[in-house]
Amino acid sequence: MSEPTAKTLPSDAAAQTLRPDDPGPAAPGKDPRIGDLLKGTYTIERLLGAGGMGSVYLAQHALIRKKVAIKILAPEYAHKPELKERFLREARAAAAIDHDGVIEIHDFGETAGGAAFFVMEYLEGEDLAAVIRREAPLPWPRVRDIALQLCRALQAAHARGIVHRDMKPGNCFRLDRDGRDVIKILDFGIAKLQNPDEGVGQALTRTGMIFGTPEYMSPEQAQGERHDHRVDIYAVGVILFELLTGKPPFIADTFMGLLNKHMFDAPPRPRDVAPQADIPAAAEAVVLKALQKDPDLRFQTMDELAVALKGVDAGLAPELVPETLKAKPARGAPMQFRGADRPSRPTLPETTAPAFPAPFAPPPRRRWNLALVAGLAGAVLAAGALVLFTKSEPSDSAERTGPKEHAPVASSPDLLPLPPPAPVPTPPAPPPAPDLIAPAFSTVTVRIDTAGVAAEVLDEHGALLGHTADPHGLLLPRGEAERVLRLRAEGRAETRLKLVPSENRTVAVALEPLHPGKPTAKKGSKKPETRAEPPPPPAAEPAPKPKAEPKPTTSPDLISPFKK
Ligand SMILES: Nc1ncnc2c1ncn2[C@@H]1O[C@H](COP(=O)(O)OP(=O)(O)OP(=O)(O)O)[C@@H](O)[C@H]1O
């Protein structure tokens, strides 16, 4: 089978997702839909762009004059029920997530000609691919804020059993809100819904079918194997890599070449790719952990990734488990991933230098196996795989210098000298259920109203969880056990807040001034009462006098590479 090559792509092709029967670019000339009135309500004004399944138009709500974006299924698909269903699934998936970080869906219907459409919020901005082209490498604080928004939105999707499966910069829209990046995730066209009644879902998840965009495709997805929400974690790792360095970790001239690299090659270190970019060592470790080949060795949830991103500024780096990558195998044989237990961490002398002073050392041999026992082309043939992507790599890829081949490693012994941190429970990742159903990780949003006083929110161990000023609130793993949050603000006594994160809630907490004589609260503002919805109301109490600051630990995987 001859491989499709990048030469077959349009010269300006950004990373695009291909689906079966892609209609290709829209015909030139005036678009006959301009001026149409859909559902007697939406007047189509102009074409915003065309994608794999249809075209997106700017339209105006006739009554309230609000701008909206309408995606209309390409006419050639109108009478293909499976494609129509898939198209509407995109709308349903995004609507089901109902999160600020995900495109909002307002309405849906059919044109007079029978083409399905759905109406979404109109986003005035640009996608992250444009930001990367123009500005990358981006500075770490900006990357962190963008990535945290992606984590929140995807955690909300995963909590509802929805896996995006096509995360890429082109599907992340950036809005500029007073100079701040606000990110919305688009295009749930190949998302997997948890509901098995979604018949198309089954068709979309047969073993051997490959979906997504090669640059951002996890090894297990590239392999056409069953996969779960952790493919989104891998893809966010690729996006982070690109934001930080300006380049994706893997570049190849052919699609198969790209997939091969995702499956068999260790990613280069971001700081080698962009030495000028001042990437924190701990940020590099976060990216590499997200890019581990074995999904069991990645962050297991978007929340876990978010915790690691927040830990970077505190000098915390995640543990990277060495991966021994097998040589590219001969074609034809069956292919599978096999993860193994994490190796126990050796305890090294305390005198070890700070993390990442030297390149990653070769991994200990055969600590675990990543057994990939066949060439992709052979395996794809053997599995009868239907490859549902084909256009992706910009045609300039051949001119770009690919990253150097690196030793197949993903670990630094310098990260290992600390004694194992106290175990802190992280949400367990259920094993992938049959047919790729995402485990329902559950989180709650807690908003803490401190009457305008900006405070940091720390966990019991002193790890930063967020800020009370964050309009999104704090995302905590849902649970019935009481948590203690520490609120810290300048000029205020540290206050402990006890709550059970069993449901979304807003809590009002008065942060007492350190010097009670000096009024710092706004004049006339009443001392807020602790306000919590049942069950058990949280209790706020002044913290005991701070003792020696405990070593921040946020997850068993986060250990400080830096000596304090
Ligand atoms: N809600 C929206 N507001 C503004 N522009 C949008 C909106 N949704 C999509 N677009 C723009 O419309 C164009 C087509 O989007 P669409 O999702 O159909 O395809 P795509 O993501 O470019 O391609 P593919 O889905 O094949 O990867 C893109 O340029 C996208 O940025």
Side-chain angles (χ1 to χ4, degrees), residues 375-463:
L376 173 72
V380 164
L381 279 175
L386 175 58
V387 181
L388 296 180
F389 60 85
T390 42
K391 64 178 184 187
S392 172
E393 180 65 16
S395 63
D396 65 351
S397 67
E399 291 153 33
R400 290 196 265 172
T401 324
K404 288 184 282 179
E405 293 297 333
H406 283 251
V409 293
S411 175
S412 164
D414 299 317
L415 276 175
L416 302 176
L418 299 177
V424 177
T426 48
D435 207 21
L436 317 184
I437 292 173
F441 287 110
S442 192
T443 53
V444 294
T445 302
V446 175
R447 292 190 169 79
I448 304 173
D449 176 357
T450 43
V453 179
E456 287 180 333
V457 186
L458 309 150
D459 72 6
E460 302 87 308
H461 309 285

Side-chain angles (χ1 to χ4, degrees), residues 341-365:
D341 295 339
R342 289 156 184 242
S344 58
R345 286 184 204 144
T347 305
L348 300 181
E350 282 271 305
T351 50
T352 313
F356 299 108
F360 290 138
R365 293 283 152 215

Side-chain angles (χ1 to χ4, degrees), residues 161-179:
I162 296 166
V163 185
H164 189 289
R165 304 200 300 170
D166 194 21
M167 282 299 296
K168 57 182 174 180
N171 283 338
C172 303
F173 222 81
R174 174 193 174 265
L175 313 177
D176 187 321
R177 296 270 159 83
D178 302 322

Side-chain angles (χ1 to χ4, degrees), residues 172-394:
C172 303
F173 222 81
R174 174 193 174 265
L175 313 177
D176 187 321
R177 296 270 159 83
D178 302 322
R180 238 188 90 230
D181 298 310
V182 171
I183 309 296
K184 298 255 186 188
I185 299 176
L186 300 177
D187 208 345
F188 283 78
I190 61 169
K192 171 74 182 79
L193 293 181
Q194 187 171 17
N195 183 357
D197 295 332
E198 301 287 331
V200 176
Q202 283 172 4
L204 285 172
T205 54
R206 278 199 302 266
T207 299
M209 296 179 84
I210 302 176
F211 293 88
T213 304
E215 282 88 341
Y216 305 91
M217 200 178 276
S218 62
E220 64 273 23
Q221 212 174 350
Q223 202 179 343
E225 276 300 315
R226 287 182 170 175
H227 49 259
D228 60 24
H229 66 288
R230 293 172 297 179
V231 301
D232 289 346
I233 293 171
Y234 185 91
V236 169
V238 179
I239 296 172
L240 269 167
F241 192 110
E242 222 176 331
L243 289 166
L244 284 168
T245 67
K247 292 175 188 145
F250 300 118
I251 297 171
D253 292 336
T254 66
F255 305 112
M256 293 303 185
L258 249 183
L259 295 192
N260 246 301
K261 287 189 171 187
H262 280 291
M263 290 192 294
F264 300 113
D265 290 6
R269 295 174 57 186
R271 296 198 305 168
D272 282 349
V273 174
Q276 78 288 5
D278 215 12
I279 300 168
E284 175 167 281
V286 171
V287 174
L288 293 175
K289 177 155 181 157
L291 292 179
Q292 296 256 28
K293 306 283 185 210
D294 181 347
D296 289 346
L297 299 180
R298 290 176 208 147
F299 301 103
Q300 297 300 293
T301 65
M302 297 309 306
D303 274 350
E304 217 180 90
L305 171 55
V307 168
L309 288 163
K310 289 176 188 168
V312 167
D313 295 324
L316 293 166
E319 176 193 6
L320 291 166
V321 176
E323 287 188 292
T324 303
L325 305 179
K326 289 274 162 95
K328 287 178 187 113
R331 33 174 81 210
M335 177 169 64
Q336 58 174 341
F337 282 104
R338 207 172 56 227
D341 295 339
R342 289 156 184 242
S344 58
R345 286 184 204 144
T347 305
L348 300 181
E350 282 271 305
T351 50
T352 313
F356 299 108
F360 290 138
R365 293 283 152 215
R366 291 189 187 80
R367 272 228 172 118
W368 68 280
N369 294 321
L370 176 65
L372 299 172
V373 207
L376 173 72
V380 164
L381 279 175
L386 175 58
V387 181
L388 296 180
F389 60 85
T390 42
K391 64 178 184 187
S392 172
E393 180 65 16

Side-chain angles (χ1 to χ4, degrees), residues 17 19 49 51-52 56 69 71 103 120-121 123 168 171 173 187:
T17 313
R19 286 111 177 172
V56 179
K71 189 162 184 172
I103 183 81
M120 5 170 206
E121 63 179 313
L123 302 175
K168 57 182 174 180
N171 283 338
F173 222 81
D187 208 345

Side-chain angles (χ1 to χ4, degrees), residues 439-498:
F441 287 110
S442 192
T443 53
V444 294
T445 302
V446 175
R447 292 190 169 79
I448 304 173
D449 176 357
T450 43
V453 179
E456 287 180 333
V457 186
L458 309 150
D459 72 6
E460 302 87 308
H461 309 285
L464 184 66
L465 295 174
H467 295 87
T468 55
D470 187 338
H472 300 291
L474 287 173
L475 217 50
L476 297 176
R478 189 187 294 273
E480 295 303 328
E482 189 179 73
R483 300 262 329 240
V484 179
L485 305 180
R486 292 161 55 181
L487 306 181
R488 214 188 261 169
E490 221 180 307
R492 305 293 172 136
E494 186 177 307
T495 300
R496 283 170 185 256
L497 170 66
K498 290 182 182 168

